[in-house]
Amino acid sequence: MSENSQFRFGAATGVGSMPGGDAREAAKTVTGTFEDFPFLPELPARGPGADMIGRTAGLLVELYARVEPSGWRLGDRPGRDTKRARSWLGEDLDALEEFTQEYEGPLKVQAVGPWTLAANLELRNGEAALSDAGACRDLAASLAEGLRLHLAEVRRRIPGAQLVLQLDEPSLTAVLRGRVKTASGYRTHRAVDRQVVEQTLRDLVGTHTAGPVVVHSCAPDVPFALLRRAGAAAVSFDFSLLTERDDETIGEAVEGGTRLFTGVVPGAEGPLSDPAGSVMGVRTLWRRLGLAPGLLAEAVTVTPACGLAGASPGYARTALAHCARAARSLADNPE
């Protein structure tokens, strides 16, 4: 974390997913909108292997997954689903490389984190990997090695980029609270010990030594303190889900140097307020916490509330541009 405290994040970026299936169009939109903090777009509308779980399963080393009617299940060898996931990722990297020639600056790459992966990947018996502590360890180790290789490939293609790794953990709170359903749907898997969750994340964060790690969750009750202890340089969340009981942990996170990726622009279609209105809640939070307004631009990156896969292409473009304008409003008028 200390080496990342001087890292220059951009003022605004996206969460990850985009609508449609055209990798070049998505890369063009993202790089054109966020000139100082683009990200590698994900296009889940293309089908299995482009979805969040399948895309990350395709990165695993010596573990393979295939699509079953119930979801993604670990298997013995790479099949067509793994190949499809890797092919689409290659297509996405080709497109991003095309639109980031000579780019120098932060670039965000997303993957599903170890706990959301364990909650959503099935073992051969149909139960979530989460049900087996050994399987969770194997999955985390495989993911760490897969991400190391993936980030090295991104660095080779875009050598001027300073890579930011985003771990998507929407199931993390459910894992901690024992709310992940079993295959039957009648019971839930027992809660995983918080220290085990924290240590697994810390180990994974530690493998990305070349840049900061941000953890994203658009679920309620994001465990800010746990993520900070695990070494996350930033936490990405749906700002509308915050409550005043989160104030203390957020204040401690900011004072400890953790950056906030505040999801203030709705991911779903609908009218948008003016850019200043979109970040009004962030300014209000700052005043409530007694933090210096001058810290805002140093501590906040503006994003949509969640991914934009379910939006129309037109709204997705508008929402991303709105994030950039809202971030400028925050910087120009922090009070």
Side-chain angles (χ1 to χ4, degrees):
M1 176 63 196
S2 56
E3 68 269 25
N4 294 325
S5 57
Q6 301 306 310
F7 187 91
R8 300 297 297 177
F9 289 95
T13 191
V15 170
S17 68
M18 294 283 286
D22 187 331
R24 288 189 76 255
E25 184 60 35
K28 183 180 177 184
T29 296
V30 163
T31 55
T33 306
F34 302 118
E35 293 179 1
D36 63 349
F37 199 5
F39 63 95
L40 176 63
E42 302 165 356
L43 302 171
R46 291 181 296 197
D51 62 297
M52 190 171 83
I53 299 299
R55 184 180 178 89
T56 299
L59 294 173
L60 297 175
V61 172
E62 294 181 2
L63 287 178
Y64 311 104
R66 63 179 186 273
V67 179
E68 296 285 340
S70 54
W72 284 89
R73 182 171 296 182
L74 291 167
D76 297 322
R77 60 183 69 83
R80 66 166 186 262
D81 296 322
T82 299
K83 289 171 184 158
R84 189 189 298 123
R86 291 175 177 173
S87 172
W88 271 328
L89 181 58
E91 191 179 298
D92 296 339
L93 288 171
D94 288 344
L96 188 67
E97 183 180 5
E98 179 184 345
F99 289 101
T100 50
Q101 297 295 311
E102 312 300 320
Y103 176 73
E104 294 186 354
L107 169 70
K108 185 163 69 69
V109 177
Q110 307 81 219
V112 175
W115 293 108
T116 295
L117 205 57
N120 289 276
L121 262 184
E122 298 174 359
L123 300 173
R124 289 172 183 81
N125 65 5
E127 285 296 350
L130 190 65
S131 64
D132 183 320
C136 289
R137 285 192 295 273
D138 291 347
L139 201 51
S142 174
L143 177 62
E145 179 60 13
L147 285 172
R148 188 186 68 76
L149 296 171
H150 176 45
L151 292 168
E153 172 67 7
V154 178
R155 201 171 289 116
R156 183 187 68 75
R157 288 167 174 262
I158 311 167
Q162 297 155 355
L163 297 185
V164 177
L165 172 61
Q166 175 178 305
L167 296 174
D168 292 322
E169 283 283 15
S171 300
L172 183 59
T173 302
V175 167
L176 288 165
R177 295 189 177 177
R179 292 181 182 165
V180 177
K181 282 190 164 62
T182 57
S184 70
Y186 295 122
R187 295 187 304 110
T188 56
H189 295 288
R190 67 164 59 99
V192 180
D193 182 271
R194 294 181 78 86
Q195 288 182 308
V196 173
V197 169
E198 184 181 320
Q199 187 61 53
T200 300
L201 286 167
R202 184 183 295 116
D203 290 345
L204 190 53
V205 168
T207 63
H208 181 43
T209 54
V213 174
V214 51
V215 178
H216 167 74
S217 173
C218 44
D221 299 320
V222 175
F224 288 93
L226 183 151
L227 295 175
R228 189 161 63 93
R229 290 194 304 271
V235 180
S236 169
F237 57 97
D238 180 343
F239 190 81
S240 72
L241 297 178
L242 282 189
T243 66
E244 290 197 19
R245 71 171 182 269
D246 296 310
D247 281 7
E248 189 177 342
T249 45
I250 288 185
E252 287 173 358
V254 172
E255 288 176 340
T258 305
R259 192 173 184 91
L260 305 181
F261 281 44
T262 55
V264 296
V265 176
E269 308 264 341
L272 295 173
S273 70
D274 63 293
S278 292
V279 288
M280 188 184 302
V282 181
R283 292 193 185 95
T284 302
L285 171 68
W286 231 245
R287 282 195 295 272
R288 210 164 64 226
L289 295 176
L291 295 167
L295 258 181
L296 264 173
E298 294 303 311
V300 170
T301 292
V302 176
T303 73
C306 213
L308 295 167
S312 70
Y315 178 79
R317 286 191 297 271
T318 299
L320 295 184
H322 194 83
C323 288
R325 287 196 293 271
R328 277 197 297 275
S329 166
L330 204 56
D332 294 345
N333 183 18
E335 298 190 63

